[in-house]
Amino acid sequence: MSLALRHKKRCLAAAVHLLETEAEAVETETPGQKMKTNHDRVVVESELEHDLKLLSERENIAEKIALKKQLLPKYLPRVRDFMESGANYPYPLLVWCVIWLLDVEDIEQALELANFAIDQQQKMPERFKRDLPTYTAEELHDWAEREYKKQRSPHPYFEEVLKAVETQRWPVVNVIVLGKLYKLAGLICDQQEDFARAVHWYERAQEVNDKAGVKTRLEMARKKL
């Protein structure tokens, strides 16, 4: 048997052992442990419902943002526990934390949780009209656009969003959102005098949405190129 084949066999055996161990752990979970898990979930859901009501009672955006900043340290450890547990079931708290992190512009942490939630195909709360990939992509576009207008670079975060959308890891099909993303990518490249990439992104924007508003900029970028 070759060394490569032996190594492959050992890896396979280790994977099988890990699966068997995990299965045994689930089977041997005591009724008391199951009750505690269910109790914890009920408590979290109750607290979340209460805090969402508090948020809905605030009309001032600054007050809402301030409250979200207070709530996130309370809930993020629970979300981290869920992420590290290997569980995969509908978990509204995870999605709410993504939404709040975007609102308070904690972009690095928002992207991390969003990637995890989208990989698990978590759903947006019912009050939202867009799915999680589309909502997250548009919110991050809006943040990146604000950074661009302040002449600050939104990279590497905006670049990560573009890659996730282009590779369909974030399955975004809304042409308006796609057009906005690609147009902004073109504007940023234009600002950096990277006219070849600017042309690429303007063309992508025009391709997905002919009303993206890039025709004049595309012609100018082509001439500069």
Side-chain angles (χ1 to χ4, degrees):
M1 186 182 294
S2 68
L3 289 175
L5 194 56
R6 287 177 185 173
H7 175 70
K8 185 177 180 180
K9 188 175 180 180
R10 284 196 298 270
C11 290
L12 182 59
V16 170
H17 176 70
L18 178 61
L19 288 171
E20 290 174 347
T21 303
E22 290 177 346
E24 288 173 4
V26 171
E27 290 173 1
T28 56
E29 188 177 28
T30 66
Q33 289 172 322
K34 290 179 181 179
M35 287 180 64
K36 183 179 183 301
T37 299
N38 292 333
H39 173 73
D40 290 345
R41 287 180 64 180
V42 170
V43 169
V44 170
E45 288 171 5
S46 176
E47 290 179 3
L48 178 60
E49 185 178 349
H50 173 265
D51 291 332
L52 287 171
K53 187 175 184 298
L54 288 179
L55 280 167
S56 69
E57 292 169 352
R58 286 162 169 73
E59 296 182 2
N60 184 281
I61 294 177
E63 290 181 2
K64 286 179 179 285
I65 296 295
L67 180 54
K68 289 171 185 177
K69 287 181 177 179
Q70 293 176 20
L71 292 174
L72 281 164
K74 168 184 174 181
Y75 287 120
L76 281 173
R78 293 167 175 171
V79 168
R80 294 285 177 188
D81 288 343
F82 172 79
M83 293 169 68
E84 292 168 6
S85 71
N88 187 349
Y89 54 79
Y91 194 58
L93 182 60
L94 167 61
V95 180
W96 277 114
C97 281
V98 172
I99 294 167
W100 294 345
L101 287 166
L102 289 169
D103 289 342
V104 305
E105 296 192 350
D106 186 340
I107 303 303
E108 183 173 351
Q109 200 164 192
L111 259 176
E112 180 192 357
L113 267 63
N115 278 321
F116 182 87
I118 291 170
D119 286 344
Q120 287 203 334
Q121 299 183 358
Q122 296 281 344
K123 306 297 183 185
M124 288 288 285
E126 289 184 3
R127 70 184 70 174
F128 291 85
K129 295 180 180 179
R130 294 187 172 173
D131 58 33
L132 183 57
T134 305
Y135 176 86
T136 307
E138 186 167 31
E139 287 294 308
L140 284 164
H141 161 272
D142 294 349
W143 165 80
E145 187 176 50
R146 291 193 294 272
E147 293 296 292
Y148 163 77
K149 289 179 178 179
K150 294 174 184 175
Q151 297 188 334
R152 297 197 298 241
S153 173
H155 293 310
Y157 308 121
F158 185 61
E159 198 168 33
E160 185 177 337
V161 174
L162 285 173
K163 184 177 180 181
V165 171
E166 281 287 84
T167 59
Q168 286 294 299
R169 192 163 59 84
W170 290 14
V172 178
V173 297
N174 185 299
V175 297
I176 295 175
V177 174
L178 289 172
K180 288 165 62 175
L181 284 169
Y182 298 148
K183 178 181 179 179
L184 180 58
L187 290 171
I188 293 170
C189 292
D190 230 337
Q191 188 180 63
Q192 297 169 342
E193 298 186 355
D194 187 347
F195 302 120
R197 293 186 68 210
V199 167
H200 166 75
W201 289 117
Y202 288 146
E203 287 178 342
R204 289 289 289 123
Q206 184 68 25
E207 179 186 337
V208 297
N209 182 12
D210 60 5
K211 296 181 181 179
V214 298
K215 291 180 181 178
T216 301
R217 293 184 181 277
L218 176 57
E219 290 175 7
M220 291 176 63
R222 281 172 174 164
K223 288 178 181 178
K224 292 174 182 177
L225 182 60

